[in-house]
Every structure is written in structure tokens, then in C-alpha cells.
């Protein structure tokens, strides 16, 4: 097996590692650079600031994009399996964090898509070695994973309802400016059923207001369903964990995914 | 017992079955046709599109309605018990999916009711043999079923409250344009208590704003009740399932409706 | 012990009882009269209807108020303990259902308070002998009762927060029309934190919008607390019930308040 | 050990104690004074009231601030460890309750920050010896404490989402007045995802309304997550408590934090 050149190993340790002094400095510098560059993009979109500091902000953007590009190439170069990194979640984010600047030479407005690099901040969880946060996130993801079918059924039902309610409101509110087409009425139904309620479109006829009231009360009732689904999963895991008792030593209140008793090491009957 | 003619058996297998190649092609064509026709109705309601493609969209609607009519008649013809099909959920939807087009010859705007055929898409769950989805939907329906009395009490309480609060606000906000009658004030109360809050009507007097604040905080508190009701049902089923343990082999974590141990087949004590 | 005169016993059976044919007819007539009179009050508040049918609606109101007054006097006369009835929940509602009409001779607008007689409809639960509904309502009331202290702490915390946030927004948004005084800013804070969001008042300065964002995200997070409190109570009762197992026969899934096993009658260990 | 002078002991008993007659009178007077002073500040911010009663309200404010200042100095003087009190929660609040009046001599508008003294009202829970309320508050705080990591992950995810969705909407809705910069678009996204929905900014283009619909449905789905997290913690504690059974006497339904059986005093296996 051919050994990797020394510079690759060193670069890898600095860029990907969090143990050496150099690696930690790199991590901190990276987070600062990411936040700075996102702030630059956001401020550049404010007209009054752009008129005054525009050239400075553009310079910052190009400078940081240059550095991030070098970093991306280095990551690709020093990693043992470049393709695996390039197709991973962070590999994709890293690429998407530099591309918009170059594409903006052709399509100017795309450079605002740079804010996607804010997702690189998620690395901070890895950097701080917040293993506990990761395991907590896993619990949430597992609950969402477990209930994905229930949530899918729910979302499909809500979407079908909005199509039908939207059409009914379109027929009832003919002539009201906001309800000028079925797609707009469906938009209004979504705004209403999610209880957002902008008020840019609102029913004017007594019948329309009556049907709207029914939709609202319905939305009020069905908001309970996804909450119930997710909560049931989270609670199920939590309750089982706190009730499981080791058959050896009688100790209870184990972790949700414990396979062995935390007190005596005996395998748990699940 | 008289045998059904061959053509009925074959047609039944194609239209109702999902096992043969012809049956599967029919299913896919059906879903595509349903989505297309709903899209046609929705687009036709947008004025700018209607002016340009109106005749085309009307043609698509009549063509697909014709095909769906033929399909409905065939379903009636080839099914062993036509009446049972006609009065079933899907039988009703299938009929409601073609009627509006014909009725629109007399009452033009009713043809938008065609969007009800979007409900035919629900067949997709059957077509894809998503038995797991169906069983998940059953869990949700069972929880709603179990808690229907609690939810009914809750809805009645909310409705009575809106009548009383609406009248109180009508008396307080005399002169404010939006609160011109008790029905309108009740409409405002529903908009507020469900936290939709369009803002087309809002209290202007200090006393009115104070009472409105009380209504909002109340709405905030009572939104907890239906959520709690549904969640308690879902969690109850989930927890019982994950804690049930076979008395024979000690295995736990069975399905919510398991009657026999999934490990050793012994009948479960519930 | 002096016997009550016969007419009192008969009247009591008709008015308060639900077993005799006369009693049932009386109940149905009462519900119809209540709904009619509330509808009359509501319609009378709509200007266009009042102009056309005003005298008719006023006549209906006076007629029904007269009948309800006679009914109230009869109830007082035939009940064994008049004072106990007069101070009970329904005794109070029955009186409050007729008073506004008479008071409106002096203060005209109070007659809209007649809608309080809609609460008399709650009798319908008793009439239909919906004992199960009553026991379900008891479960909800018990959960709210159990969690009243937690909810009180929560409401006090929210109120204190609105006072402080309202004042902060008043200082930040000086000059914005909607935030003209601290009480109005507190009203805005309540509208925001409950996610109602009318939009009649909304922050205009960048700092105000930033603080508003924090308030919204906070409101989003704390809506979880009352839901959690009520749900935990409801779920606790539900789970305990479904897990309780008789020590005699091993049967599980008893009612939440069962004292004896529904299978063998043995006292339950709770 | 040097004894504290008598006047310190007496003053301490009156100001900090709730047992003597003098201490109770002091407590009641304090609560009344706090509420009065907050009301004075709030009313002073209403223009029409300020014009008429301005000097009176200012006098009340200065008088009460003077009294609170004396009280704060006395608390510092009579407490055994002044520094510990000064850095405690209530010590900080007590100081923050008088400072704004003095600072307002230089920066006038800061005197509205006096409303922070409303937090002193929290003492009422201590005064009324509502130990049960405190223990209930502890349960809520413990649940929030337990789930702080999950809630942190959730808030970070929501914030990152708002940055990205805000930028996407900024690109889509170029030209719509409300979406004039990325920060404003992020503000709109927060208003939408929390379902507040003022309507001061709302998407106008069909694509913008479609993306907005996705954001709303997403917000609808994710509101379930924090609710689920908090509820799972509260329910876990509640269920474990109601199911724990003493191994000695078999009694169940103990307090959530019971260490010994409430029936026989035996140590509980947790």
C-alpha cells in the first residue's frame, strides 16, 4: 500500500482534525470567515449600505470566496477518498458555498445564494466535540424517521384539503380581488389553515366568511395531529427508557438505546 | 350460481386489480389523467391563461370527463355488486368527479367543483400496495376515533365561547367598521381564537383591545387541549405497545394491536 | 314531613325530568326556543336585516323572553330547594338569560347580552343522557385541574414578559404610529407572542424588527409549555389506565378511575 | 464570632421575613407600591394622560423610587452577606428597579425601563409561601433544563433555515416593496415560520407565493418538534411517577421526585 505524502497527512490533520493547536486555530478562523462572509452578503443587499460600502463588501466577498475555493481544493487533495468527500453532505455544502460567486459573473443575482455557506457553520457542532448534541439530534431525527409515514399521510391529506377548499372559496368569493384564480385561493387556504393569516387576501362575503371559519377551526383541530405524532414517538422512547429495569440488579432509568445495564453490565431485555 | 361473463371478469381485473401488467398500466394512466385534469381546471381559472389557452383547456376537460364517465360506467358494469360500489367512498368520489362538467352546462361556475376528483388520487395508496401506510393511517384514525367525544366537547365549548365573546366585542366596539354586526364579530373572534389573525378587522378602543388580549391568551391556552387529547391517545397506544411483554419468552416492544407474541406466538395478555 | 302539592311534583317532572313523554317534548321545545332566540338577537344586529325585519325580531325576543321568565319562575316554584337552584350554574344562566331584555329598557345595547342564553344549550348534554360525554369532559377538567398551578405560573410568566417586552418596544419604536404608548405596545406584544399577528401595528425600525423576531421565536418556543403541561396530565392518566393490571386475574386496560378489576371485581392496587 | 447589632436583626426580620406581623405588613405594602409604580410609568406613556396628570405621575415615580432606594440600601445593610445578595437574582432586580429613574436625568426615555420592577412581583410567590407553586415551577424548569440541548439544536436549525429561505425569497421577490433586502426578507421568514403573519410584507409573485406556501407548511410541521420535546420530558416524569411502585408495600402513584415510599417509608428503587 502506497503511503500518502507527508504534506497530505499534515494538511489533513490541520483542515479536518480538531486535536492539534494548528487544527483548532484553523477551525476558529474558518467559523469567523464564514460568519463574516454571510454578513457581507446580507449587508450588501441593503441599498443604503450598498451605495456607501458596496465596493468594500464585494472585495470581501471575492477575497473570502477565493480562500474558500483554495480550502475546497486542499480538502479534495488531502483526503484519502476525494470522491466520497465530494459527494458527502459537507462536501456538497463546501462546493455550493463558492459556486454562486463565480456563477454571478453571468447571472448577477445568484451571488445572494452564497448565504448557503451559513450551513458550513454546522461544523461547529463537530468542532466543539459536542457529542451529546449529536446524540440528542439523533433522538429527534429518529423520532421524525419513525413517524415519517404518519407525517406523509398527514401532509398529503392537508394538501388535498387545500386544493378542494381553495376551489370552493374561489367559487364562493367570485369578484373578491384576492380570490382571482384557484391557485391564489389555494395559497389563501394554506395561509389560513397554517394559522399564518397575512390578511392580504380575506373573504368578504358572509358565506365566504362562514366557510373560512370552518377552515380555521379545522386547521385548529388538525394542528394537533402532527404534534401528537411526533410527541408520541419522542414520549414512547423517553418512557420506555425511564421504565426499563435491569433484571440483574434492578436499576432503572437507562438511556433510550441502552443494550446493557449501566449499573452491572448485564444485557437488557428490551 | 350463474358465472359472470368473461369480459366482466377481464375488465374487473384491469380496472380494479393491481396485479396484471394491464392493470398496472391502467392504474398509472389513471393517476396521470386525474392530475392532468385537475391542473387543467386550476389553470383555466387564471384569467391570463384562460384568455390564451381557454379552448384547449376546455377541450382537455371534456375529453377527460368523457373518459372518466366511460370508466365509471365500466366499473358499475363489471363489479359483482354495482350498488355496493356506487354507495362506497370511492364510488361516490368517482361519480362526483364527472357530474360537475355536465351540471356546468346549466350552472357554469360549478365545473370548478371538478377538483374534487383530486380525491381519486387517494387510490394511489391502494395501487402502490402501501399496506404500511394504510396501517399507519389506521393508527391516526383510531386515535381520532377514540378521542372524538373529547374533541366534540371541545369544539362545542369553543363555538359557544365565540358566540359570547363575539357579542361582547360587538357591544364594546360599537362604531368600529369591522364590528358592524354580531355575526361579523363572531367571525373576528374565530379568526382571533385560532390565532389566524388576518387584521382585516381589529379592535380600536382600549377596552376592546384589552378584551381581545384576554381572548388571545385564552386561545393560546386552549390550543393545548385538542393537542393534548390527540397526543394522549397516540402516546397511550405507543407506550402500551412498547412496554407489553410476552409472558412466555419475555420479548417486549410488540405492535400496538398485537394479539400474539411476535417471538414465540403465545397469546398476549392485554 | 309535609308533602309537596301535586302540581309542583308534576311540573317538576315535566321541566326537570327527561323520562316522561311530556318532559321530552318540553326539552325539545326548550332547545328550539333557545336557538331561535339567539338567532333573532344575532340577526337583529345586522343593519340590513334590522331595517327590514326589526319589529318582527324584537317581537320574537320579547315573546321568548316572556316564556323564559315564566319558565324560570316555575322552576323556582316547583323545585324543593329554590335557593340551591337559584345559586347553581344553570340557575344563574337561566336568570342571566332573561335579565338583559328588561335591563335594555334602560340601557338599550345590553339586550345583545341575551346571547348568554346560548349557554342554556349545554343542557342538551343532560337531556340526551350523554353520560359518556360528561365523563369525558370530567377527564379534561381533571387534567386542567391537576395542571392549574403549572398553568398559573405559566400565565403569570407570560404576562410579566409582555409588560417588559412591550416597554422595550415602546422605547425602540418611538415615533411609529402603533407604538404610541406602553399599554398599546403591550397589546402588540400579546398579539405577537400568541402568534395572532393582526398587522395593524408592526415594527418599522431595523432594531424593532430584530427584537420582534426574538419575541416571535420565544413565543414559538413557549407555546410548547402549556401544551406539554396539559398533554403530560392527559397522557399520564391514559398510560396508567392502559398499564394497570389486576393482581388477581391479570387483566389490563382498565378505566382511568377504576377501583375494582372490570374482570374479576378484585380491588385494584393503584 | 461578632454578633450582628440588634437593629440589623430586626430590620432583616421585617424586610426579608414573612413570619412576623410587621414583616407581613411590609410585604403587602411592597407589592402595592410595586404595582402602583409600574401603573404610573405605563399611564405616563399615554399622551392624553401625560398632558393632564403628568406632574402627578412623575411625583409618584420619584417618591416610590426614593422609597425603593432606601429599601435597597437597608437590604444591603442588614443582610449578613451583602455581596451575595447584591449578585443574586432578586438583588439584581432590586437594583435595576431604581437605576432607570436616576439615569433618566441624563437619557430621558430610559425611565420607561422602570417596568422591570414588575419582576419584583415574583416575590409574591415567596411571600404567600406557595411552596407548591415553587415545586411545580421546578418541574417545568427541570423539563426545560433536561431538553435544553434538544431545544438549542432546534433553534439553531430554525435560524439557519430562516437565513436561507430569506435569501431565496429576496432573489424571487426582487421588486416587491417588502423584500427590499436580505435582513428584511429574513424578518419576513421569521414572521411566517412562527405563523405570526402580520401581512405588512407578503409575497406578490406566483413563484414567491408557492415558496411561501412551502415555508408555511414546513413551519406547521416543525412547530410539532419543540412541543414534542418539552412534552416528552414532562410526560416521562409524570408517567414514571405514577407507575413507580414501592417494593415493600406495593403502593404506587408517588411524587415525581420521591426517594422514599409515601406509604411505608422504604427507599424507592428508581
Amino acid at each position: 500500500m502506497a503511503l500518502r505524502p507527508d504534506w497530505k497527512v499534515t494538511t489533513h490533520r490541520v483542515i479536518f482534525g480538531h486535536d492539534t493547536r494548528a487544527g483548532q486555530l484553523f477551525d476558529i478562523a474558518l467559523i469567523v470567515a464564514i460568519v463574516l462572509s454571510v454578513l457581507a452578503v446580507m449587508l450588501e443587499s441593503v441599498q443604503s449600505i450598498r451605495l456607501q460600502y458596496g465596493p468594500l463588501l464585494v472585495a470581501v466577498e471575492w477575497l473570502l470566496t477565493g480562500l474558500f475555493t483554495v480550502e475546497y481544493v486542499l480538502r479534495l487533495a488531502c483526503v484519502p477518498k476525494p470522491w466520497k468527500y465530494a459527494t458527502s453532505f459537507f462536501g456538497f455544502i463546501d462546493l455550493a458555498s463558492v459556486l454562486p460567486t463565480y456563477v454571478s459573473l453571468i447571472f448577477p443575482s445568484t451571488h445572494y445564494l452564497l448565504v448557503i455557506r451559513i450551513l458550513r457553520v454546522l461544523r461547529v457542532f463537530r468542532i466543539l466535540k459536542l457529542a451529546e448534541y449529536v446524540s440528542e439530534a439523533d433522538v429527534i431525527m429518529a423520532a421524525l424517521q419513525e413517524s415519517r409515514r404518519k407525517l406523509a399521510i398527514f401532509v398529503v391529506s392537508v394538501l388535498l384539503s387545500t386544493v378542494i377548499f381553495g376551489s370552493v372559496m374561489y367559487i364562493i368569493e367570485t369578484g373578491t380581488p384576492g380570490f382571482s384564480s384557484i391557485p391564489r385561493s389555494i395559497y389563501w387556504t394554506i395561509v389560513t389553515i397554517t394559522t399564518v393569516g397575512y390578511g392580504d387576501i380575506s373573504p368578504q362575503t358572509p358565506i365566504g366568511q362562514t366557510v373560512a371559519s370552518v377552515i380555521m377551526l379545522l386547521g385548529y383541530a388538525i394542528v394537533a395531529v402532527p404534534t401528537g405524532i411526533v410527541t408520541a414517538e419522542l414520549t414512547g422512547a423517553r418512557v420506555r427508557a425511564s421504565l426499563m429495569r435491569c433484571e440483574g440488579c434492578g436499576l432503572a432509568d437507562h438511556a433510550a438505546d441502552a443494550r446493557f445495564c449501566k449499573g452491572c453490565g448485564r444485557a437488557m431485555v428490551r
Side-chain angles (χ1 to χ4, degrees), chain A residues 127-257:
Chain A
I127 291 168
L128 298 175
K129 288 204 186 131
L130 299 177
E132 284 169 336
Y133 282 85
V134 173
S135 95
E136 298 276 8
D138 283 350
V139 172
I140 298 179
M141 293 309 292
L144 291 176
Q145 192 75 8
E146 275 292 311
S147 43
R148 70 184 181 286
R149 276 199 293 258
K150 285 204 200 72
L151 289 174
I153 292 168
F154 178 75
V155 167
V156 167
S157 314
V158 168
L159 284 179
L160 295 185
S161 309
T162 57
V163 169
I164 290 168
F165 278 118
S167 307
V168 170
M169 287 301 287
Y170 171 70
I171 297 172
I172 294 173
E173 289 280 332
T174 312
T176 307
F179 296 88
S180 58
S181 70
I182 290 183
R184 272 184 79 87
S185 300
I186 291 175
Y187 165 70
W188 171 86
T189 310
I190 293 176
V191 169
T192 299
I193 219 166
T194 57
T195 79
V196 171
Y198 288 129
D200 51 347
I201 312 174
S202 63
Q204 301 301 326
T205 63
I207 306 175
Q209 293 180 340
T210 309
V211 175
S213 299
V214 172
I215 296 176
M216 281 172 229
L217 288 172
L218 212 77
Y220 201 58
I222 60 177
V223 77
V225 175
T227 305
I229 293 169
V230 174
T231 304
E233 279 306 323
L234 283 171
T235 310
R238 181 77 183 63
V239 167
R240 189 177 50 196
S242 67
L243 288 177
M244 263 192 316
R245 183 163 295 186
C246 174
E247 302 208 326
C249 64
L251 200 71
D253 215 356
H254 299 273
D257 54 354

Side-chain angles (χ1 to χ4, degrees), chain A residues 36-69:
Chain A
L36 265 184
S37 74
V38 171
L39 277 180
V41 173
M42 282 169 60
L43 291 176
E44 206 251 306
S45 75
V46 184
Q47 201 174 11
S48 60
I49 297 177
R50 183 167 58 239
L51 291 176
Q52 213 171 347
Y53 303 103
L56 175 68
L57 293 169
V58 169
V60 167
E61 186 191 320
W62 275 100
L63 176 69
L64 289 171
T65 301
L67 287 176
F68 290 155
T69 311

